[in-house]
Amino acid sequence: MMQFRVLSLVLAFVWLPTAHAELVEEVIVAEDFLGDFYGGEEMIELATGIKTQIHKAPAVASVFNAEQIKQMGATDIDDVLEAIPGLHVSRDSNSYLPVYSFRGIRSRYNSQVLMLVNGVPITNNFTGNRNQVWGGMPVEAISRIEVMRGPGSAIYGADAFAGVINIITKNTDDIQSNQVGLRAGSYNTKDAWLALAGSNGELRYSAILEHHKTDGLERDEKYPAQPFSLMTTNTDFRGEVSYTDWIFRLGYQLRDDNGNGAGIVEAPDLASRQKSQRINFDLNYAKNVTDNLELNAQLAYFQTSQRVKNQYILYPAGITLPNNLVTGDMSGGGVHFPNGFIGNPEVWEKHKRLNITANYTGFSSHAVRVGAGYYNGDLYRVRETKNFEIQQDGSLLAYPEVIDVSDTELVFLKETDRDNYYIYLQDVWSFANDWELTAGIRHDDYSDFGSTTNPRLALVWATSLNLTTKLLYGKAFRAPSFADRGNINNPASLGNPNIQPETIESSELVFDYHPLDGVGMVVNFYQYSWNDIIQFSPTSGVIGLVAQNLGKQSAYGSELEFNWTPTRNFKLSMNYAWSKAENKTNNTDVALVPQQQWFAQADWQMTDALRLNFKNHLVQNRLRETGDDREQIDDYWLSDLTLRWMPKNSNFETRLIVKNVFDADVREPSFISGAGINIINDLPQAGRSFLGEVRYQF
């Protein structure tokens, strides 16, 4: 019924009078109206690589600037991403890693989502995600978050599959005054940050240092027998120096003494700790060679690690496991591990990128963008210590002590690398008044699995002064991870060197409508087909499960966004997403992802000094996996409240943040693990919590 009402409303909008403006003054009024609605900063670069007004962009996208992020009480990017229609932030049991599910597309490692920092991917090749020791990302250094739903491989290549998230960091323009801040609250959380900026002629510089420490959720309060280890200790640095046509950025992230959530294999392990160190820099050059030609060049480097600071006790001391992990043979009493079943896999990677682009507007009615680049991803170090050996037939052997098997045939993954050469072309063609066609294509050639070509088309029609209509089409691919291709010594999941990329093909219809000053809505309808999904399945002649291109998923759905600003002091934002995703392998609805989501946020300037933000998130209709006989996952309604005090003529500002105001029992689904379910009561999320904050500008 809800979908029928939305469709009826959209059809009504389409049939409204669409007389075009004949006077220049009318065009100016329209641009001013849209500028007021979206805000002067509501430009997006993510959709085309060129800054474009978001309502004209050939994509479905959302943008949050630093002020919006602060006002909504966000302390981590996940607090912002949950406000995106069609995007659900779930959790994995391992370290409670965030899983960003766009439109029903979900996998354990979440490798179908590309995250960028200032346009540079931060994907790890080991599992294809952002890092197994992620630890979150704070927001004080963030100027903007741009999110594009749908395929983006025609611009960004690998893994721009279900969606793309671009984190844009602050520069000198964003830091008008130096600032220091402190925050503390529930779960023994302590945060501190320092932001500095300055300039000397054409030399401009900025630096932001952040530190975060929390004990996190320690125990399931409803089922206290299940402990969790969610402590984190994070240090983040972002710096930028610019001079004339050059920009240099540097980033450093340390994740130290971090817990592993519900356990690496979903068995409690409160003593183990994880560590990750990530360093990135990019050097950028931009030059307007002529009035019609702009050249850009970027050199980027990213180094990342996933380490075990205190060894993983995969199963507790005294555990007895089968003689054969494939057959489950327990003859002779099984294999006993008096000190626990211990395994410590560690990886180090470095990524190098060179990208050159040219934007040319000298052709009549055309804006052409062409680019080429090179990428090298190098898994240059693999280390593993353990007290067991799994043989090729699945037999399990116990070692009397933990031994180092690095650089031997017993290691879980061999050191390897991949090269990628790519070229892309994009044309934005204004072929008629109020009509614009964006066509793009990108070809990628990989050294380890071959080549892939991905096109996109987007037709944008300024239907009237108040309505923009978009028709979008795109293809994308997800590159196999090194684990997909090279896992060894683990019959539970063996790599396949012949595995091919996953692919997706998507189409979408969008209506962006603003009938009145301060009132606007966007509604879209989409469908996609996800093919060659990599799954681990039995293979003839091989013991254990092998990575194969077997899965297929299709989906259709709709998303509705509504914004209303009745007065200058009050704004209401709402969105609704409905998705029908089907697993075509067994013709069942896709499990674990919400079929419906609602989000509502009220922002009220109560007095000159006091501002309130109240946001609500309703998640509905998540199904269990096939074979999981537990009751269906409960829906939840989560509410957060932020009070912000900003006295005039003062350098101080304070915030009170209350998360989960009504102390709802929020849970994300646990998986079927092997033949059973290890976490019966699912993954609990934090209950009501409080954070107090003070900022000082100087």
Side-chain angles (χ1 to χ4, degrees):
M1 180 61 69
M2 179 64 186
Q3 289 73 40
F4 176 78
R5 292 175 180 172
V6 171
L7 180 58
S8 300
L9 188 59
V10 170
L11 292 176
F13 290 157
V14 172
W15 287 105
L16 286 174
T18 60
H20 296 286
E22 297 179 355
L23 300 176
V24 174
E25 289 81 359
E26 290 178 280
V27 176
I28 294 174
V29 169
E31 294 297 333
D32 288 345
F33 165 75
L34 293 172
D36 289 341
F37 176 78
Y38 284 110
E41 297 184 352
E42 286 299 328
M43 306 285 286
I44 187 168
E45 191 171 348
L46 191 62
T48 61
I50 304 171
K51 285 187 178 180
T52 309
Q53 287 178 298
I54 193 170
H55 71 280
K56 295 180 179 179
V60 178
S62 302
V63 177
F64 292 87
N65 60 39
E67 180 65 19
Q68 292 170 316
I69 293 170
K70 184 191 295 184
Q71 183 53 36
M72 68 194 308
T75 59
D76 185 273
I77 60 170
D78 293 352
D79 298 327
V80 182
L81 297 179
E82 68 179 6
I84 306 293
L87 169 58
H88 177 54
V89 182
S90 184
R91 297 287 164 181
D92 184 67
S93 56
N94 179 7
S95 308
Y96 265 44
L97 293 170
V99 178
Y100 305 136
S101 301
F102 283 84
R103 298 173 169 177
I105 295 177
R106 171 177 174 151
S107 66
R108 191 85 187 245
Y109 294 121
N110 201 207
S111 47
Q112 292 78 17
V113 175
L114 179 64
M115 181 172 285
L116 314 169
V117 175
N118 296 312
V120 180
I122 58 170
T123 302
N124 288 29
N125 282 326
F126 171 39
T127 54
N129 62 3
R130 295 158 293 281
N131 200 296
Q132 287 296 94
V133 188
W134 174 239
M137 180 176 283
V139 299
E140 294 304 324
I142 295 176
S143 171
R144 291 159 59 81
I145 299 177
E146 299 181 349
V147 181
M148 181 173 72
R149 287 162 272 163
S153 285
I155 309 171
Y156 298 103
D159 311 326
F161 194 90
V164 183
I165 302 167
N166 189 23
I167 308 297
I168 301 171
T169 57
K170 292 178 179 177
N171 58 23
T172 310
D173 293 334
D174 300 306
I175 306 174
Q176 297 298 314
S177 300
N178 298 332
Q179 184 182 104
V180 62
L182 297 172
R183 181 189 304 125
S186 301
Y187 303 111
N188 199 26
T189 299
K190 300 181 181 68
D191 297 338
W193 63 92
L194 173 66
L196 303 171
S199 63
N200 185 359
E202 293 188 274
L203 179 65
R204 299 153 61 83
Y205 48 87
S206 61
I208 301 175
L209 180 65
E210 301 175 84
H211 184 73
H212 168 69
K213 183 177 177 63
T214 183
D215 292 341
L217 185 67
E218 296 177 318
R219 188 172 298 276
D220 186 342
E221 296 173 0
K222 189 174 181 181
Y223 302 96
Q226 178 66 60
F228 296 88
S229 178
L230 294 180
M231 63 181 59
T232 59
T233 303
N234 301 344
T235 301
D236 289 71
F237 172 81
R238 299 288 175 185
E240 179 174 315
V241 178
S242 64
Y243 181 75
T244 62
D245 301 319
W246 296 87
I247 298 176
F248 175 78
R249 301 186 185 97
L250 176 67
Y252 174 78
Q253 294 178 284
L254 176 64
R255 303 294 180 259
D256 195 19
D257 203 35
N258 288 18
N260 64 15
I264 303 301
V265 293
E266 298 183 348
D269 180 13
L270 299 181
S272 73
R273 297 291 182 268
Q274 304 177 98
K275 182 175 183 178
S276 173
Q277 183 172 277
R278 308 195 278 271
I279 302 171
N280 69 278
F281 73 78
D282 56 269
L283 179 63
N284 305 268
Y285 176 76
K287 181 72 173 180
N288 290 318
V289 180
T290 70
D291 290 341
N292 297 319
L293 178 63
E294 179 188 7
L295 293 179
N296 296 270
Q298 182 184 72
L299 178 67
Y301 178 82
F302 177 48
Q303 183 171 307
T304 177
S305 63
Q306 299 175 193
R307 302 177 59 187
V308 182
K309 187 175 180 181
N310 188 23
Q311 60 188 9
Y312 291 150
I313 310 296
L314 303 178
Y315 295 110
I319 189 74
T320 298
L321 297 174
N323 299 311
N324 189 294
L325 296 181
V326 176
T327 65
D329 176 23
M330 290 291 291
S331 60
V335 183
H336 187 61
F337 291 87
N339 297 319
F341 189 75
I342 301 170
N344 304 305
E346 299 178 297
V347 296
W348 286 257
E349 300 184 30
K350 53 188 175 185
H351 304 249
K352 293 166 283 188
R353 300 177 186 273
L354 174 64
N355 185 43
I356 299 173
T357 62
N359 299 319
Y360 185 69
T361 57
F363 299 122
S364 177
S365 304
H366 290 268
V368 178
R369 180 179 175 87
V370 61
Y374 167 74
Y375 160 71
N376 172 259
D378 186 6
L379 185 71
Y380 68 94
R381 186 182 179 193
V382 176
R383 183 172 184 265
E384 183 181 16
T385 59
K386 58 186 179 181
N387 68 347
F388 63 90
E389 178 184 339
I390 304 174
Q391 299 182 318
Q392 291 298 318
D393 64 354
S395 298
L396 179 63
L397 301 178
Y399 298 150
E401 59 184 17
V402 174
I403 66 170
D404 190 342
V405 299
S406 309
D407 300 318
T408 74
E409 293 302 314
L410 299 177
V411 74
F412 71 99
L413 185 67
K414 297 291 187 180
E415 294 170 7
T416 185
D417 71 342
R418 70 168 36 141
D419 293 315
N420 168 217
Y421 294 90
Y422 54 90
I423 185 169
Y424 57 91
L425 174 66
Q426 175 182 274
D427 179 31
V428 181
W429 178 25
S430 302
F431 62 90
N433 288 336
D434 305 321
W435 289 86
E436 197 169 80
L437 177 66
T438 300
I441 190 168
R442 172 166 162 156
H443 179 77
D444 288 78
D445 185 71
Y446 282 82
S447 59
D448 53 352
F449 63 81
S451 60
T452 175
T453 302
N454 295 273
R456 70 179 297 213
L457 288 170
L459 184 62
V460 179
W461 175 31
T463 317
S464 72
L465 288 178
N466 301 326
L467 175 66
T468 301
T469 305
K470 307 178 187 182
L471 184 61
L472 313 174
Y473 166 81
K475 292 184 68 177
F477 72 103
R478 195 274 281 187
S481 70
F482 287 163
D484 292 334
R485 294 179 54 81
N487 261 3
I488 54 178
N489 297 315
N490 182 4
S493 57
L494 293 172
N496 178 359
N498 298 315
I499 204 75
Q500 293 299 304
E502 299 178 349
T503 62
I504 191 171
E505 190 169 7
S506 172
S507 57
E508 193 156 1
L509 178 63
V510 186
F511 301 97
D512 193 324
Y513 184 62
H514 307 276
L516 300 170
D517 189 8
V519 178
M521 66 183 301
V522 180
V523 62
N524 65 76
F525 304 90
Y526 66 84
Q527 69 84 31
Y528 66 76
S529 180
W530 176 15
N531 299 302
D532 298 321
I533 302 174
I534 297 174
Q535 298 178 333
F536 289 86
S537 302
T539 300
S540 177
V542 179
I543 300 295
L545 305 180
V546 180
Q548 301 178 68
N549 295 108
L550 292 178
K552 182 175 181 179
Q553 178 174 315
S554 65
Y556 55 90
S558 179
E559 295 153 357
L560 172 67
E561 302 174 67
F562 176 76
N563 293 277
W564 179 36
T565 308
T567 72
R568 60 180 299 178
N569 295 325
F570 185 83
K571 180 178 180 180
L572 178 66
S573 303
M574 302 176 63
N575 66 63
Y576 167 76
W578 171 78
S579 177
K580 177 70 171 178
E582 183 179 7
N583 184 335
K584 304 303 288 187
T585 304
N586 54 19
N587 295 319
T588 60
D589 288 343
V590 172
L592 308 178
V593 297
Q595 295 181 353
Q596 295 188 78
Q597 294 182 84
W598 300 80
F599 179 85
Q601 177 177 252
D603 190 25
W604 179 22
Q605 185 76 48
M606 302 172 67
T607 70
D608 288 343
L610 188 62
R611 192 166 180 175
L612 179 145
N613 181 277
F614 185 53
K615 61 180 183 178
N616 296 269
H617 192 199
L618 174 61
V619 174
Q620 296 179 296
N621 305 121
R622 295 169 294 170
L623 305 178
R624 295 289 187 190
E625 297 175 279
T626 301
D628 190 336
D629 295 329
R630 289 177 292 175
E631 294 183 359
Q632 290 301 329
I633 309 159
D634 288 340
D635 300 340
Y636 69 77
W637 186 313
L638 187 64
S639 301
D640 296 338
L641 177 70
T642 300
L643 278 173
R644 184 178 170 195
W645 186 53
M646 307 167 289
K648 288 186 176 181
N649 303 317
S650 173
N651 293 332
F652 284 95
E653 177 182 325
T654 62
R655 284 195 306 178
L656 172 65
I657 303 169
V658 186
K659 297 187 176 183
N660 195 356
V661 174
F662 302 110
D663 202 23
D665 184 13
V666 177
R667 292 178 184 265
E668 291 298 333
S670 58
F671 287 87
I672 297 177
S673 181
I677 300 168
N678 297 323
I679 305 175
I680 298 296
N681 302 307
D682 294 308
L683 301 172
Q685 309 303 296
R688 185 188 297 116
S689 62
F690 299 86
L691 291 170
E693 173 187 293
V694 60
R695 300 167 183 260
Y696 176 70
Q697 295 182 346
F698 60 96

